[in-house]
Amino acid sequence: MAGDGGGAAACGSGRWRRTALALVVAGAVVVPLGGAARPLVPAPVPVVVAGRSADTLEATYAAHRAGAEEAARMAAAYGDRRRADAERALAGRQLLYFDGRGAGLVTEVLGDLTGAGRVAVLVPGSDTSIDTYGRFRAAALALHERLGGRAAVVAWLGYETPGTFSTAVATSGRAEEAAPGLRALVDDVRAVAGRRARVSLLCHSYGSVVCARAADGLDVDDIVLLGSPGTGADTAAGLHTRARIWAARGADDWVENVPHLSAGLFGTTVGFGTDPVSPAFGARVFAAGDGGHSDYFAPGSTSLANLTRIVRGETPAVTP
């Protein structure tokens, strides 16, 4: 009888997992139907700059600033003031890359990348685009201000992020498409900052799936998973990287309620498996305080303090 009870419990648990995943997918499919697609704003073809090095960095910035300025002009002529304002602001910054087409791609450098001993690369999650870039940049600014000294922060909006309520956010397709670009970005950072620079990837939400897809053999010192739905790997060792793997989740982060499972549904794999903050995953779990899903870089927060220590290489000072 005891065996029968255990079997019934296992079946019930399996049914719950399948039901939970089905609800995730159903919500992702149904919710977007109520919204209209945003019209495409005209923008120039992005500038191609050959090679990245300390010697060519200023020329790269100038070329992509010009691209952002032209995109702003075209958006204004089209009548999209919001996009024009966002692109005009970008035209005054240090841009490693800019593409105003579609949702838009931006790679911005805060600080002096050529002289940086420590570099943090921020990888965003869902619903990040040129139109919402300000909130992503605010996170990069908060970290850069806290780091000070010979540190640079790279805000890498280098892929088309999925919508929070979309089928793409529950699968790895966008992450697999993004991974080569993230690898190329790390190569560029190394080419400019040098091999001795300490490089950390700070990966938020769906961005942690991107980092996981790019991790194998990546030349970085730390990979930090923030508010992660999972990585697709069962364990940190499954990411096949020499980097230290860190993970954190704020006490009020809704990702805690997302089923950390993976299953085949509708001809694809849905979900990302093991919870990165669980002991089974094997990451270095650190304190993130009481914040929610968007609060990891909030000034004065526990999470920002610990992220600063990780980027600086002050590993013993990171609070578990």
Side-chain angles (χ1 to χ4, degrees):
M1 294 295 291
D4 290 342
C11 288
S13 176
R15 281 194 298 271
W16 181 88
R17 288 183 173 89
R18 288 191 294 274
T19 300
L21 280 168
L23 286 172
V24 169
V25 175
V29 172
V30 173
V31 172
L33 297 180
R38 193 181 191 280
L40 294 178
V41 181
V45 174
V47 177
V48 177
V49 181
R52 294 281 193 275
S53 70
D55 293 335
T56 63
L57 188 60
E58 289 303 323
T60 298
Y61 289 162
H64 288 295
R65 279 197 294 263
E69 184 63 42
E70 176 62 12
R73 187 194 65 75
M74 294 174 69
Y78 182 75
D80 193 326
R81 179 179 294 180
R82 179 184 180 189
R83 174 61 69 90
D85 288 346
E87 291 172 334
R88 195 169 291 113
L90 286 166
R93 297 173 185 163
Q94 297 183 146
L95 302 182
L96 270 182
Y97 187 76
F98 173 82
D99 183 353
R101 298 172 299 176
L105 303 177
V106 179
T107 302
E108 180 182 357
V109 176
L110 304 177
D112 179 9
L113 190 56
T114 60
R118 300 171 181 84
V119 182
V121 177
L122 272 60
V123 180
S126 60
D127 291 321
T128 310
S129 66
I130 285 180
D131 293 327
T132 62
Y133 180 76
R135 66 190 185 195
F136 178 47
R137 186 175 194 266
L141 277 171
L143 178 63
H144 186 245
E145 290 173 1
R146 182 70 188 253
L147 285 169
R150 292 179 56 247
V153 174
V154 180
W156 184 74
L157 174 53
Y159 75 109
E160 184 181 353
T161 67
T164 298
F165 298 104
S166 69
T167 52
V169 81
T171 64
S172 63
R174 295 284 177 89
E176 290 166 357
E177 293 170 1
L182 181 55
R183 293 190 189 103
L185 182 276
V186 170
D187 288 344
D188 286 345
V189 166
R190 287 293 184 194
V192 175
R195 295 292 161 183
R196 293 186 178 182
R198 180 183 184 82
V199 179
S200 303
L201 293 186
L202 310 186
C203 319
H204 180 240
S205 195
Y206 189 87
S208 65
V209 187
V210 176
C211 290
R213 289 298 184 276
D216 191 352
L218 200 63
D219 187 13
V220 296
D221 298 278
D222 299 277
I223 297 176
V224 186
L225 312 173
L226 301 166
S228 174
T231 63
D234 293 330
T235 65
L239 298 178
H240 305 293
T241 175
R242 70 171 181 82
R244 282 176 289 272
I245 306 298
W246 303 82
R249 185 168 62 221
D252 198 33
D253 190 334
W254 55 262
V255 166
E256 182 179 8
N257 300 315
V258 171
H260 289 278
L261 306 163
S262 181
L265 289 172
F266 310 127
T268 190
T269 300
V270 178
F272 304 109
T274 311
D275 185 348
V277 300
S278 70
F281 189 74
R284 301 177 181 222
V285 179
F286 63 94
D290 297 329
H293 193 61
S294 301
D295 299 330
Y296 291 97
F297 295 89
S301 65
T302 299
S303 59
L304 182 59
N306 275 328
L307 289 170
T308 302
R309 293 168 186 140
I310 291 170
V311 174
R312 287 176 175 168
E314 299 169 355
T315 302
V318 177
T319 57

